[in-house]
Amino acid sequence: MTLGEKLSKLRKEYNYTQEQLADILGVSRQSISKWESDIAYPETDKLIKMGKLFECSMDYLLNEDISEKQGIQPTEKESLWDKLKLQIHERKSEKMIFGMPLYHIGRNAHGFFAIGLKARGVFSLGLMSRGIISVGLLSLGVVSIGLLSLGLISAGVFSAGLLAVGSIALGFFAAGAISVGLISFGALSVGYFSTGALAIGKYAAIGDHAHAMIAIGQTVADGSVYSHIGDLTTADIPKVVEWLDGNVPSWLGWAKEIFRFYIQ
């Protein structure tokens, strides 16, 4: 079996088109066609790259007397990252949506549905991911989930967004172990309006230890305008609402109403 016949066989086994394989190797589709027809032969670096891609030895590719595929023997220096990259085989749909492939799976994936080490798409999944709906270790999207996540709606260990949930959360609405936001919920909560074990607010705070203009605490309540220890009673709520109306600026009226609903 010739080199060209083996390349054609391997490409089809791994479900690559000639164009997809050409993109991976950084050559033209015509080059792939010539290699498979034994009109031309790939350079050494391309052979090495195809050996890794197709998980076969150089002996198998170059020796016409060897017809059975021989796998690569991993070296001690081969990292988990290298092994992971070898397992990601390029897949790309020929169907297009909004100028993107319907799906793309690869190291650098770009498609309506994208999965890869780096992924960009409407729906994306990758170590580094960007999309309308994005999931990844490093994630950026309208809806974003990841170890480090940034989006309008964001969830992650480190999370930032309009609505953020995470161990450390930063957002307009934030909830987390450590939370910073206009409206904030967390063990350590900092915001204009905050609730948590240790709640620090500019205008109002509720927690075990509460520090704000209006402070409602179970153990400590440090309020410059109003302080209350323990749970609010029905008689206390109108007093708090009065202080809210008198001290919170109009542009934060929506946040004040949310806080008012919370305490009632």
Side-chain angles (χ1 to χ4, degrees):
M1 185 181 290
T2 67
L3 171 61
E5 290 170 337
K6 290 176 182 178
L7 293 181
S8 178
K9 179 175 179 289
L10 289 168
R11 176 179 60 79
K12 292 171 183 176
E13 284 179 359
Y14 280 73
N15 295 318
Y16 292 131
T17 65
Q18 287 187 342
E19 184 177 23
Q20 289 168 352
L21 182 56
D23 288 340
I24 296 170
L25 298 176
V27 298
S28 67
R29 188 198 62 78
Q30 289 78 8
S31 293
I32 302 296
S33 178
K34 288 179 180 179
W35 296 347
E36 292 183 358
S37 301
D38 291 313
I39 297 172
Y41 295 92
E43 297 174 352
T44 303
D45 63 318
K46 299 297 188 291
L47 282 169
I48 294 172
K49 194 168 185 178
M50 283 189 287
K52 291 181 178 180
L53 181 66
F54 295 134
E55 301 170 299
C56 64
S57 67
M58 291 297 99
D59 281 346
Y60 170 71
L61 289 176
L62 297 174
N63 193 332
E64 295 187 7
D65 294 331
I66 300 176
S67 58
E68 293 298 325
K69 177 180 170 182
Q70 299 170 326
I72 298 174
Q73 296 299 318
T75 65
E76 292 182 359
K77 294 182 179 180
E78 188 176 34
S79 66
L80 178 62
W81 178 261
D82 293 328
K83 294 177 182 178
L84 178 61
K85 289 192 291 185
L86 285 174
Q87 297 305 314
I88 298 180
H89 304 309
E90 193 87 5
R91 302 286 188 279
K92 186 184 292 185
S93 170
E94 295 182 0
K95 183 176 180 180
M96 307 293 285
I97 297 180
F98 305 124
M100 296 181 292
L102 174 61
Y103 66 84
H104 188 185
I105 302 171
R107 298 179 188 180
N108 294 289
H110 180 209
F112 193 84
F113 295 94
I115 301 174
L117 299 181
K118 295 181 180 179
R120 293 182 296 123
V122 177
F123 300 91
S124 63
L125 172 63
L127 296 182
M128 298 178 63
S129 179
R130 288 185 293 162
I132 303 299
I133 299 177
S134 175
V135 179
L137 291 181
L138 303 178
S139 180
L140 173 64
V142 176
V143 178
S144 178
I145 301 172
L147 179 66
L148 176 58
S149 177
L150 176 62
L152 291 180
I153 300 174
S154 178
V157 176
F158 302 96
S159 176
L162 181 64
L163 172 60
V165 179
S167 297
I168 299 176
L170 173 63
F172 273 70
F173 300 89
I178 300 174
S179 176
V180 179
L182 285 179
I183 298 179
S184 178
F185 300 86
L188 170 58
S189 177
V190 179
Y192 279 22
F193 297 86
S194 63
T195 300
L198 174 56
I200 303 171
K202 180 173 183 179
Y203 295 106
I206 299 176
D208 185 51
H209 287 64
H211 304 267
M213 187 178 291
I214 299 168
I216 303 166
Q218 294 297 317
T219 303
V220 175
D222 179 16
S224 60
V225 172
Y226 177 82
S227 299
H228 180 89
I229 298 289
D231 296 330
L232 290 174
T233 66
T234 304
D236 294 321
I237 291 174
K239 192 181 300 183
V240 174
V241 170
E242 179 182 347
W243 284 112
L244 285 170
D245 290 339
N247 291 278
V248 176
S250 58
W251 72 273
L252 279 173
W254 58 274
K256 177 185 69 178
E257 293 302 320
I258 292 174
F259 189 81
R260 179 187 294 182
F261 177 79
Y262 181 78
I263 63 175
Q264 288 179 332

